[in-house]
Structure formats: C-alpha cells, structure tokens
Amino acid sequence: MKKSIIALCISMLGSLRDLSPIILVILFFQFLVLQQPLPHLLDLVIGLILVVLGLTFFIFGLEMGLFPIGESLANAFARKGSAFWLLLFSFALGFGTTIAEPALIAVSNEASEIAADAGFILSSTEAMHSYADGLRYTVAFSVGLAIVIGVLRILMGWPIHWLIIGGYIMVVTMTMFAPREIIGIAYDSGGVTTSTITVPLVTALGVGLASSIKGRNPMIDGFGLIAFASLTPMIFVMAYGMLI
Amino acid sequence: MEILHELITTLIATLGDVLPIAAIIFGFQFLVIRKPVPNLNRVLLGFAYVVVGLSLFLMGLERALFPLGRLMAEQLTRPEFIYQGFAEIPDDVLWQEYYWIYLFAFAIGFSTTIAEPSLMAVAIKASEVSGGAISIWGLRISVAFGVAFGIALGCYRIVTGLPIHYFIIVGYILVVIQTWFAPRMIVPLAYDSGGVTTSTVTVPLVTALGLGLAETVPGRSVLIDGFGLIAFASLFPIMSVMGYAQIAERIGKRRREKDIAKQETDSPSNSSPDSPSSNGD
C-alpha cells in the first residue's frame, strides 16, 4: 500500500515536471512581456492540480489498458491468420475513432463557413450542415483507409518512405488544382485527426503486429500508422473541395 | 459543486469519445477472435483510468491554461501591444516588429509539446521497442523543437502572407532528402511524430494564436491565413526527429571508434602504427 502511494507521488512529480515548461512560459510572458498580474489565481492553481492528476492517471491507464489490449489484439489477429478480419478491424478503428473526434467536428464546421463565404455552396444552414457532414465522413473514411494501407504495409513489409513520398507527390499535385480557400483547412486536417486515445492504441497495434509476424522488425515496420493517418486526410479533403 | 458538475459533463464527453473505440475493440474481440481478453479486469481498470485521467486533464486545461493562453495570444497580437513603441499606428508594419509573437509561438509550441500525452505514449513505446536506444526525453525534446520552430515559422507566414503551399512543398522536399541520409530505423517513427504532436494541448492554443494573428495583421483574412499552423507543427518534427537520430548515431559511432582505439592502444599485443584511427569528419 505504502509502496503504491510512493509510486503515485513519483509519477505525479513527473507530470508536474512535464507541465513546468508551460507554467514558465506563461509566467514569463505575463509578468515580463505583457506586465500584467495573473487573473483568477485560485482557478489557475486548481486547474493545474487537475491537469497533474489527470496526466498521472492517463499514463497509468495507458500502460494498464490501452497498450496491452492493442498488443493482445494484434497477437490474436496474427495467430488467426485472417488478413480480411484484420483489415476490416483496421478500417473500423480508423473510421470509428475519427468520426466522433471533437477537433474534426470543429474544423469541418469552419470549413463549411469558408465554403459558404467563397460561394461554393449556398449559405443556408442546411447546405452548410450537409457540407460539414460530408467533409467529416470523407476524413473519417480517409483515416480508415490510411490504417488499412499501414497495416497492409506491415503485413507485406513494404518500405515506408516510398508510400509517404507517393503521398507527398499527390498532396503537392492536388494543391495546384484545389481552390485556395480549402488548402489551409486541408493541411490542418492531417494533424487534428489523431486523438490522444487513438495514438497509443494504433501504435500498440502496429508494434504488436510487427513483433508477432516473422521477419518484421517492430522498430522499422511497427511505426508509421499515424503517418498515413495524417497524410490521407489532406488528399481527401482537397479532393472534396474540388468536387463540391 | 460547480466543479463536480463540470467534472461530470467532461467525464460524459470523454466517455463519448472512448465508447466507439471500446465498442470496436471489444466487438472484434468477442465476435471475431472469440477468446477471452487476458487480464480483462486490469484492462478495464486501465480504460477507466484513461477516461478519468483525460477528463481531469481536459478540465484542468479548460480552467487554467486555455483561457490564459488564449488571452495572451490575443494580447500579444493586439495592435496596441505591437506598436507600443511607435508614436502612431503605421499602415504597414515590417514583419520584424512581431518579434514577441515569434518568441511566444516558439515557447508555447515547445512547452505544450512536452506536455502532450499522446507524444508521451509514443515515446514510451519507442524507447521500449528500441531497447532504450531512443530515449524518451531525447524524442520528446527533439519533437518539441520541431513543433516550436514550425509554429514560429507559421506565424512568420501569417505575418507576411506568403502562400502556405510553398513552405509545405519545400518542407516535403527537405523531408525526402533527409530520409536518404537518416538511419533507417528512425524513419517510420519520425514520420509518425509529425502526426502525434498535435492533439489535446497544442491544437487549441495554437489555433487561437493563428486566428488572433490573422485578425490583427493588416491585409490578412482570418479564413485564408488563420489556418495552417497545425500543418507546420506536424511537418517540422519529422525533420527534427531524423536530425536527432543522425546526431545520436554520429556520437555513438565516434564513441565506439574511440573505445576501439583505446582498446588497441591499451593492449600490448597490438603494435601496428596506424591503429589509433582518427575520425576525419
């Protein structure tokens, strides 16, 4: 009992250390550059305590729940030997985690405003809604496809850089033809799709797969799923902007 | 009381994020794999920890850091602050006048990346898989430098109004060139670290900075120029992580060579004159 309390305290100190750069930056700019006092000091302290607690629990849960389940699933799929179910699972995981992502909902709503402003769609709420929903499904589909391609790469042992360079070439080519208003959103959508829960799961899945398939190196073949998941949305969002 | 209410709301929202993922995982586990999950109770407890932890984390951020960060982004981009040394507000401002913003962008990019939970997850895994060859802190700090540089450069782009795709295309070319020289082991991890850097902590603060800046700088449109910082923040870590691996490899090589040279001079049997191989580069 005593031991686990000490372990908890140590990891909380670790979380505090992780947060200290943010606190320093804020203090420096608030006092020395903007020269203003800190507003709502009590709220700030309570908030910081919550953040430290939350980060500690998250890391605990990561090692207890997310990593083991990702790895055991990867092992089970590898032993089952059915590529179809594995790829279906990969697609479901990519699609399912992205469709509900709050950051993506926010971005697609902003994109619909831009499209309405630029005159691509009618500026009625209904048209904007359907545009935003269409965009959200497009991105979710593209992330599902990305995980499928990534898992296929692990199964086949393809070198990652050819696929990524091919993706870059597609992004650059499409940039030339896409409407200017959509480009910023499209580039950003690559970064926002990968949430805090998806990343550990997908990483554990990739590493687990690469370690259970003979002839694959977990370092070289296990990573890279996230890279695909942040590349395909750019391509698909620009395509969406061009077609509609 | 108010805190409790807030906690429950955040908890429900986080549960909503986790439920589809849990449904997919356990659905496939029971319907397709049809084998019991090893240590099911422990895994479920772990999921509960993740949900509680993420909720507390988000709530704390929303209470303390986000309002202050957004306020600072607004204040730093305000014309009165930028032009405080001037007698009157000029029509056209040189991009150098925004130096505090570049510094703030760099500092906030670095510090939020250090606190990013998904980067911690990837760093833990990478260090585990590489047997410690990639250290958790080495990866986190090099990613943080990449994000910091990317966001500062992104702010410069908003101020000058240059088209975003020039920067991104040049960035891609640099990434492709660097891929040929980087150690093969690091390449997939480096590509991954572009995507993981931008989640819970970084995105809200950085978006506020970009939108505030685009609003203030004369001649910029919030819609066209306000976005794109996230794209910068996910491009530059790729380069900095590959750079980190290149430097680490070079240092390791030099150390090994030194050790070999030392062993050769130490051992009495070895008397060849050219043995202490000095490193040319």
Side-chain angles (χ1 to χ4, degrees):
Chain A
M1 192 61 211
K2 207 174 167 193
K3 231 180 192 168
S4 58
I5 289 177
I6 292 174
L8 188 72
C9 285
I10 289 175
S11 47
M12 274 174 71
L13 277 179
S15 307
L16 195 64
R17 183 197 54 205
D18 294 334
L19 285 169
S20 55
I22 300 191
I23 300 169
L24 282 179
V25 168
I26 285 185
L27 290 181
F28 173 79
F29 276 88
Q30 193 73 3
F31 289 129
L32 293 178
V33 181
L34 292 165
Q35 295 175 352
Q36 271 158 16
L38 280 175
H40 316 295
L41 193 61
L42 185 68
D43 257 7
L44 206 66
V45 172
I46 294 176
L48 278 179
I49 293 171
L50 290 176
V51 170
V52 168
L53 267 178
L55 207 52
T56 311
F57 271 112
F58 177 79
I59 299 289
F60 259 52
L62 203 66
E63 312 247 21
M64 271 173 73
L66 290 186
F67 280 165
I69 190 91
E71 262 157 46
S72 84
L73 268 172
N75 283 333
F77 274 121
R79 237 179 295 129
K80 201 172 163 60
S82 153
F84 169 77
W85 284 113
L86 175 60
L87 293 179
L88 190 70
F89 172 75
S90 315
F91 183 83
L93 193 66
F95 187 88
T97 52
T98 312
I99 196 79
E101 176 67 31
L104 177 63
I105 295 172
V107 165
S108 50
N109 287 338
E110 275 153 13
S112 73
E113 277 168 36
I114 292 178
D117 261 27
F120 295 136
I121 54 169
L122 297 171
S123 48
S124 69
T125 2
E126 204 180 319
M128 277 161 71
H129 249 304
S130 75
Y131 184 88
D133 278 349
L135 190 62
R136 207 151 57 88
Y137 281 103
T138 310
V139 173
F141 176 81
S142 71
V143 174
L145 189 69
I147 308 284
V148 168
I149 297 174
V151 166
L152 211 56
R153 176 190 86 86
I154 297 176
L155 295 181
M156 303 305 210
W158 294 331
I160 188 171
H161 50 271
W162 290 117
L163 292 168
I164 295 287
I165 292 171
Y168 282 172
I169 293 172
M170 276 181 83
V171 170
V172 171
T173 320
M174 292 188 74
T175 303
M176 293 173 193
F177 301 105
R180 197 180 163 208
E181 289 78 8
I182 202 88
I183 292 176
I185 291 266
Y187 284 179
D188 271 4
S189 69
V192 298
T193 47
T194 42
S195 78
T196 316
I197 299 165
T198 323
V199 166
L201 256 179
V202 166
T203 307
L205 181 77
V207 170
L209 267 181
S211 356
S212 34
I213 298 173
K214 231 179 119 195
R216 298 281 172 276
N217 178 332
M219 199 63 213
I220 293 175
D221 301 297
F223 290 94
L225 288 177
I226 312 285
F228 290 113
S230 28
L231 189 61
T232 51
M234 296 195 223
I235 298 168
F236 278 77
V237 169
M238 281 195 272
Y240 187 77
M242 279 154 69
L243 291 175
I244 294 175
Chain B
M1 211 54 232
E2 194 204 333
I3 291 186
L4 207 64
H5 180 74
E6 218 179 305
L7 179 66
I8 291 168
T9 328
T10 328
L11 214 57
I12 291 171
T14 316
L15 262 181
D17 290 351
V18 176
L19 269 184
I21 302 171
I24 292 167
I25 288 177
F26 291 107
F28 270 86
Q29 184 78 43
F30 292 124
L31 297 176
V32 179
I33 290 172
R34 292 197 198 137
K35 270 191 201 124
V37 186
N39 303 321
L40 182 63
N41 288 336
R42 211 178 132 78
V43 167
L44 287 180
L45 190 64
F47 263 80
Y49 276 163
V50 165
V51 171
V52 171
L54 211 53
S55 310
L56 289 176
F57 185 71
L58 289 175
M59 206 175 121
L61 286 180
E62 208 47 69
R63 260 191 120 72
L65 294 173
F66 285 168
L68 199 57
R70 279 194 210 112
L71 190 69
M72 288 171 79
E74 265 169 41
Q75 284 172 338
L76 285 170
T77 49
R78 220 174 257 166
E80 299 89 69
F81 174 79
I82 293 164
Y83 310 123
Q84 59 185 339
F86 293 72
E88 58 192 273
I89 294 179
D91 293 333
D92 204 26
V93 190
L94 292 171
W95 63 269
Q96 292 95 321
E97 294 303 328
Y98 293 90
Y99 50 90
W100 277 123
I101 290 173
Y102 306 135
L103 192 66
F104 181 70
F106 190 91
I108 209 80
F110 186 89
S111 56
T112 52
T113 307
I114 291 290
E116 197 66 79
S118 40
L119 178 60
M120 280 177 216
V122 171
I124 291 172
K125 204 82 225 168
S127 142
E128 197 184 298
V129 169
S130 68
I134 293 161
S135 76
I136 296 181
W137 277 98
L139 185 69
R140 281 169 72 187
I141 288 177
S142 48
V143 171
F145 267 116
V147 173
F149 181 77
I151 293 177
L153 189 69
C155 286
Y156 165 77
R157 183 198 75 86
I158 294 178
V159 168
T160 53
L162 294 167
I164 181 170
H165 48 271
Y166 293 171
F167 288 87
I168 300 290
I169 291 171
V170 170
Y172 281 170
I173 294 172
L174 288 176
V175 167
V176 170
I177 294 172
Q178 210 180 355
T179 301
W180 298 116
F181 298 104
R184 209 177 134 226
M185 186 186 84
I186 199 76
V187 170
L189 181 65
Y191 287 162
D192 262 5
S193 49
V196 298
T197 48
T198 45
S199 56
T200 356
V201 198
T202 319
V203 170
L205 283 180
V206 164
T207 310
L209 183 66
L211 295 179
L213 194 58
E215 219 165 336
T216 314
V217 180
R220 294 292 159 271
S221 131
V222 177
L223 293 180
I224 293 181
D225 299 299
F227 296 93
L229 283 183
I230 308 291
F232 278 81
S234 23
L235 183 58
F236 287 90
I238 303 182
M239 295 181 217
S240 61
V241 169
M242 284 200 275
Y244 158 70
Q246 282 170 308
I247 292 169
E249 193 190 40
R250 185 160 286 190
I251 290 173
K253 210 197 240 165
R254 192 163 291 175
R255 194 170 291 156
R256 268 198 304 281
E257 274 168 7
K258 225 178 238 169
D259 282 352
I260 291 167
K262 207 175 164 198
Q263 270 170 10
E264 279 173 354
T265 45
D266 283 354
S267 63
S269 64
N270 193 331
S271 56
S272 62
D274 59 336
S275 63
S277 58
S278 60
N279 201 344
D281 56 6

mmCIF file of all heavy atoms in Angstrom, chain B residues 179-208:
data_model
loop_
_atom_site.group_PDB
_atom_site.id
_atom_site.type_symbol
_atom_site.label_atom_id
_atom_site.label_comp_id
_atom_site.label_asym_id
_atom_site.label_seq_id
_atom_site.Cartn_x
_atom_site.Cartn_y
_atom_site.Cartn_z
ATOM 1 N N THR B 179 15.427 11.779 -45.632
ATOM 2 C CA THR B 179 15.127 10.354 -45.469
ATOM 3 C C THR B 179 16.269 9.480 -45.980
ATOM 4 O O THR B 179 16.556 8.436 -45.416
ATOM 5 C CB THR B 179 13.833 10.024 -46.236
ATOM 6 O OG1 THR B 179 12.783 10.830 -45.709
ATOM 7 C CG2 THR B 179 13.452 8.568 -46.078
ATOM 8 N N TRP B 180 16.958 9.926 -47.053
ATOM 9 C CA TRP B 180 18.033 9.104 -47.614
ATOM 10 C C TRP B 180 19.232 9.034 -46.694
ATOM 11 O O TRP B 180 19.997 8.085 -46.751
ATOM 12 C CB TRP B 180 18.462 9.631 -48.985
ATOM 13 C CG TRP B 180 17.345 9.568 -49.965
ATOM 14 C CD1 TRP B 180 16.741 10.612 -50.567
ATOM 15 C CD2 TRP B 180 16.667 8.401 -50.436
ATOM 16 N NE1 TRP B 180 15.721 10.183 -51.362
ATOM 17 C CE2 TRP B 180 15.660 8.835 -51.315
ATOM 18 C CE3 TRP B 180 16.820 7.038 -50.188
ATOM 19 C CZ2 TRP B 180 14.797 7.961 -51.942
ATOM 20 C CZ3 TRP B 180 15.959 6.153 -50.812
ATOM 21 C CH2 TRP B 180 14.962 6.621 -51.693
ATOM 22 N N PHE B 181 19.415 10.066 -45.857
ATOM 23 C CA PHE B 181 20.616 10.094 -45.035
ATOM 24 C C PHE B 181 20.365 9.635 -43.608
ATOM 25 O O PHE B 181 21.302 9.339 -42.882
ATOM 26 C CB PHE B 181 21.204 11.510 -45.036
ATOM 27 C CG PHE B 181 21.625 11.947 -46.398
ATOM 28 C CD1 PHE B 181 20.875 12.848 -47.142
ATOM 29 C CD2 PHE B 181 22.786 11.427 -46.964
ATOM 30 C CE1 PHE B 181 21.266 13.219 -48.409
ATOM 31 C CE2 PHE B 181 23.180 11.798 -48.227
ATOM 32 C CZ PHE B 181 22.421 12.694 -48.957
ATOM 33 N N ALA B 182 19.103 9.588 -43.196
ATOM 34 C CA ALA B 182 18.796 9.244 -41.806
ATOM 35 C C ALA B 182 18.961 7.743 -41.591
ATOM 36 O O ALA B 182 18.805 6.967 -42.528
ATOM 37 C CB ALA B 182 17.386 9.677 -41.470
ATOM 38 N N PRO B 183 19.265 7.326 -40.342
ATOM 39 C CA PRO B 183 19.303 5.896 -40.045
ATOM 40 C C PRO B 183 17.944 5.267 -40.351
ATOM 41 O O PRO B 183 16.908 5.857 -40.027
ATOM 42 C CB PRO B 183 19.587 5.838 -38.542
ATOM 43 C CG PRO B 183 20.016 7.189 -38.142
ATOM 44 C CD PRO B 183 19.574 8.147 -39.175
ATOM 45 N N ARG B 184 17.950 4.092 -40.960
ATOM 46 C CA ARG B 184 16.717 3.503 -41.471
ATOM 47 C C ARG B 184 15.700 3.245 -40.359
ATOM 48 O O ARG B 184 14.500 3.352 -40.552
ATOM 49 C CB ARG B 184 17.067 2.188 -42.160
ATOM 50 C CG ARG B 184 16.095 1.849 -43.266
ATOM 51 C CD ARG B 184 16.512 0.573 -43.962
ATOM 52 N NE ARG B 184 15.337 -0.252 -44.109
ATOM 53 C CZ ARG B 184 15.300 -1.547 -43.827
ATOM 54 N NH1 ARG B 184 16.370 -2.143 -43.370
ATOM 55 N NH2 ARG B 184 14.197 -2.222 -43.989
ATOM 56 N N MET B 185 16.235 2.934 -39.177
ATOM 57 C CA MET B 185 15.383 2.573 -38.061
ATOM 58 C C MET B 185 14.471 3.716 -37.626
ATOM 59 O O MET B 185 13.361 3.500 -37.147
ATOM 60 C CB MET B 185 16.319 2.184 -36.922
ATOM 61 C CG MET B 185 15.694 1.652 -35.708
ATOM 62 S SD MET B 185 16.979 1.420 -34.453
ATOM 63 C CE MET B 185 17.078 3.044 -33.754
ATOM 64 N N ILE B 186 14.928 4.946 -37.806
ATOM 65 C CA ILE B 186 14.185 6.068 -37.242
ATOM 66 C C ILE B 186 13.077 6.547 -38.173
ATOM 67 O O ILE B 186 12.129 7.195 -37.736
ATOM 68 C CB ILE B 186 15.149 7.239 -36.920
ATOM 69 C CG1 ILE B 186 14.508 8.214 -35.918
ATOM 70 C CG2 ILE B 186 15.530 8.012 -38.147
ATOM 71 C CD1 ILE B 186 14.487 7.715 -34.521
ATOM 72 N N VAL B 187 13.177 6.229 -39.481
ATOM 73 C CA VAL B 187 12.305 6.879 -40.462
ATOM 74 C C VAL B 187 10.804 6.737 -40.136
ATOM 75 O O VAL B 187 10.095 7.736 -40.072
ATOM 76 C CB VAL B 187 12.649 6.382 -41.881
ATOM 77 C CG1 VAL B 187 11.631 6.830 -42.891
ATOM 78 C CG2 VAL B 187 14.025 6.888 -42.280
ATOM 79 N N PRO B 188 10.306 5.493 -39.873
ATOM 80 C CA PRO B 188 8.865 5.405 -39.589
ATOM 81 C C PRO B 188 8.464 6.180 -38.345
ATOM 82 O O PRO B 188 7.423 6.848 -38.331
ATOM 83 C CB PRO B 188 8.642 3.899 -39.379
ATOM 84 C CG PRO B 188 9.798 3.233 -39.999
ATOM 85 C CD PRO B 188 10.939 4.173 -39.884
ATOM 86 N N LEU B 189 9.299 6.121 -37.312
ATOM 87 C CA LEU B 189 8.980 6.846 -36.082
ATOM 88 C C LEU B 189 8.956 8.353 -36.335
ATOM 89 O O LEU B 189 8.087 9.074 -35.825
ATOM 90 C CB LEU B 189 10.024 6.502 -35.008
ATOM 91 C CG LEU B 189 9.809 7.159 -33.654
ATOM 92 C CD1 LEU B 189 8.526 6.668 -33.022
ATOM 93 C CD2 LEU B 189 10.977 6.885 -32.728
ATOM 94 N N ALA B 190 9.903 8.825 -37.148
ATOM 95 C CA ALA B 190 9.942 10.257 -37.453
ATOM 96 C C ALA B 190 8.681 10.676 -38.202
ATOM 97 O O ALA B 190 8.067 11.701 -37.870
ATOM 98 C CB ALA B 190 11.184 10.575 -38.290
ATOM 99 N N TYR B 191 8.259 9.880 -39.182
ATOM 100 C CA TYR B 191 7.035 10.205 -39.915
ATOM 101 C C TYR B 191 5.842 10.232 -38.960
ATOM 102 O O TYR B 191 4.948 11.069 -39.072
ATOM 103 C CB TYR B 191 6.771 9.176 -41.012
ATOM 104 C CG TYR B 191 7.700 9.265 -42.214
ATOM 105 C CD1 TYR B 191 7.828 8.197 -43.080
ATOM 106 C CD2 TYR B 191 8.420 10.425 -42.481
ATOM 107 C CE1 TYR B 191 8.663 8.268 -44.185
ATOM 108 C CE2 TYR B 191 9.249 10.495 -43.580
ATOM 109 C CZ TYR B 191 9.367 9.416 -44.424
ATOM 110 O OH TYR B 191 10.191 9.488 -45.512
ATOM 111 N N ASP B 192 5.834 9.291 -38.004
ATOM 112 C CA ASP B 192 4.741 9.247 -37.040
ATOM 113 C C ASP B 192 4.716 10.475 -36.150
ATOM 114 O O ASP B 192 3.648 10.982 -35.818
ATOM 115 C CB ASP B 192 4.897 8.012 -36.143
ATOM 116 C CG ASP B 192 4.039 6.864 -36.602
ATOM 117 O OD1 ASP B 192 3.406 7.014 -37.655
ATOM 118 O OD2 ASP B 192 4.001 5.841 -35.915
ATOM 119 N N SER B 193 5.895 10.938 -35.751
ATOM 120 C CA SER B 193 5.905 12.006 -34.755
ATOM 121 C C SER B 193 5.350 13.300 -35.325
ATOM 122 O O SER B 193 4.981 14.197 -34.572
ATOM 123 C CB SER B 193 7.303 12.210 -34.186
ATOM 124 O OG SER B 193 8.225 12.296 -35.222
ATOM 125 N N GLY B 194 5.251 13.398 -36.649
ATOM 126 C CA GLY B 194 4.557 14.546 -37.222
ATOM 127 C C GLY B 194 3.092 14.582 -36.817
ATOM 128 O O GLY B 194 2.559 15.626 -36.483
ATOM 129 N N GLY B 195 2.454 13.431 -36.827
ATOM 130 C CA GLY B 195 1.022 13.393 -36.548
ATOM 131 C C GLY B 195 0.656 13.416 -35.085
ATOM 132 O O GLY B 195 -0.400 13.907 -34.724
ATOM 133 N N VAL B 196 1.527 12.881 -34.226
ATOM 134 C CA VAL B 196 1.134 12.755 -32.824
ATOM 135 C C VAL B 196 1.296 14.036 -32.033
ATOM 136 O O VAL B 196 0.729 14.172 -30.960
ATOM 137 C CB VAL B 196 1.938 11.665 -32.091
ATOM 138 C CG1 VAL B 196 1.692 10.324 -32.705
ATOM 139 C CG2 VAL B 196 3.408 11.969 -32.073
ATOM 140 N N THR B 197 2.084 14.961 -32.566
ATOM 141 C CA THR B 197 2.411 16.129 -31.759
ATOM 142 C C THR B 197 1.222 17.018 -31.507
ATOM 143 O O THR B 197 1.184 17.739 -30.541
ATOM 144 C CB THR B 197 3.432 16.975 -32.493
ATOM 145 O OG1 THR B 197 2.951 17.112 -33.825
ATOM 146 C CG2 THR B 197 4.747 16.323 -32.514
ATOM 147 N N THR B 198 0.282 16.983 -32.432
ATOM 148 C CA THR B 198 -0.764 17.988 -32.355
ATOM 149 C C THR B 198 -2.040 17.347 -31.887
ATOM 150 O O THR B 198 -2.809 16.852 -32.681
ATOM 151 C CB THR B 198 -0.957 18.592 -33.745
ATOM 152 O OG1 THR B 198 -0.984 17.517 -34.671
ATOM 153 C CG2 THR B 198 0.155 19.519 -34.079
ATOM 154 N N SER B 199 -2.249 17.335 -30.569
ATOM 155 C CA SER B 199 -3.568 16.910 -30.115
ATOM 156 C C SER B 199 -4.049 17.795 -28.973
ATOM 157 O O SER B 199 -4.021 19.008 -29.120
ATOM 158 C CB SER B 199 -3.614 15.416 -29.812
ATOM 159 O OG SER B 199 -2.656 15.054 -28.880
ATOM 160 N N THR B 200 -4.438 17.183 -27.885
ATOM 161 C CA THR B 200 -5.197 17.889 -26.839
ATOM 162 C C THR B 200 -4.662 19.242 -26.402
ATOM 163 O O THR B 200 -5.426 20.176 -26.247
ATOM 164 C CB THR B 200 -5.263 17.006 -25.585
ATOM 165 O OG1 THR B 200 -4.656 15.775 -25.876
ATOM 166 C CG2 THR B 200 -6.662 16.797 -25.170
ATOM 167 N N VAL B 201 -3.377 19.344 -26.154
ATOM 168 C CA VAL B 201 -2.874 20.587 -25.566
ATOM 169 C C VAL B 201 -2.533 21.612 -26.635
ATOM 170 O O VAL B 201 -2.867 22.793 -26.520
ATOM 171 C CB VAL B 201 -1.611 20.320 -24.708
ATOM 172 C CG1 VAL B 201 -1.373 21.480 -23.776
ATOM 173 C CG2 VAL B 201 -1.747 19.050 -23.934
ATOM 174 N N THR B 202 -1.865 21.165 -27.683
ATOM 175 C CA THR B 202 -1.306 22.105 -28.641
ATOM 176 C C THR B 202 -2.368 22.743 -29.525
ATOM 177 O O THR B 202 -2.346 23.965 -29.734
ATOM 178 C CB THR B 202 -0.261 21.391 -29.522
ATOM 179 O OG1 THR B 202 0.502 20.533 -28.689
ATOM 180 C CG2 THR B 202 0.641 22.371 -30.189
ATOM 181 N N VAL B 203 -3.298 21.944 -30.045
ATOM 182 C CA VAL B 203 -4.220 22.454 -31.057
ATOM 183 C C VAL B 203 -5.024 23.679 -30.589
ATOM 184 O O VAL B 203 -5.028 24.699 -31.270
ATOM 185 C CB VAL B 203 -5.139 21.327 -31.590
ATOM 186 C CG1 VAL B 203 -6.247 21.888 -32.446
ATOM 187 C CG2 VAL B 203 -4.327 20.335 -32.392
ATOM 188 N N PRO B 204 -5.683 23.634 -29.418
ATOM 189 C CA PRO B 204 -6.488 24.801 -29.056
ATOM 190 C C PRO B 204 -5.672 26.085 -28.903
ATOM 191 O O PRO B 204 -6.088 27.148 -29.384
ATOM 192 C CB PRO B 204 -7.100 24.405 -27.709
ATOM 193 C CG PRO B 204 -6.997 22.942 -27.634
ATOM 194 C CD PRO B 204 -5.807 22.555 -28.432
ATOM 195 N N LEU B 205 -4.506 25.986 -28.277
ATOM 196 C CA LEU B 205 -3.704 27.197 -28.064
ATOM 197 C C LEU B 205 -3.164 27.741 -29.375
ATOM 198 O O LEU B 205 -3.190 28.942 -29.625
ATOM 199 C CB LEU B 205 -2.549 26.893 -27.112
ATOM 200 C CG LEU B 205 -2.923 26.804 -25.642
ATOM 201 C CD1 LEU B 205 -1.703 26.510 -24.802
ATOM 202 C CD2 LEU B 205 -3.568 28.094 -25.183
ATOM 203 N N VAL B 206 -2.677 26.828 -30.209
ATOM 204 C CA VAL B 206 -2.067 27.253 -31.459
ATOM 205 C C VAL B 206 -3.110 27.834 -32.413
ATOM 206 O O VAL B 206 -2.857 28.826 -33.102
ATOM 207 C CB VAL B 206 -1.328 26.047 -32.080
ATOM 208 C CG1 VAL B 206 -1.007 26.303 -33.524
ATOM 209 C CG2 VAL B 206 -0.070 25.780 -31.308
ATOM 210 N N THR B 207 -4.309 27.225 -32.434
ATOM 211 C CA THR B 207 -5.362 27.757 -33.288
ATOM 212 C C THR B 207 -5.730 29.178 -32.863
ATOM 213 O O THR B 207 -5.895 30.065 -33.703
ATOM 214 C CB THR B 207 -6.595 26.844 -33.234
ATOM 215 O OG1 THR B 207 -6.163 25.516 -33.452
ATOM 216 C CG2 THR B 207 -7.598 27.210 -34.294
ATOM 217 N N ALA B 208 -5.809 29.398 -31.538
ATOM 218 C CA ALA B 208 -6.125 30.737 -31.042
ATOM 219 C C ALA B 208 -5.069 31.739 -31.485
ATOM 220 O O ALA B 208 -5.385 32.857 -31.912
ATOM 221 C CB ALA B 208 -6.225 30.724 -29.521
#
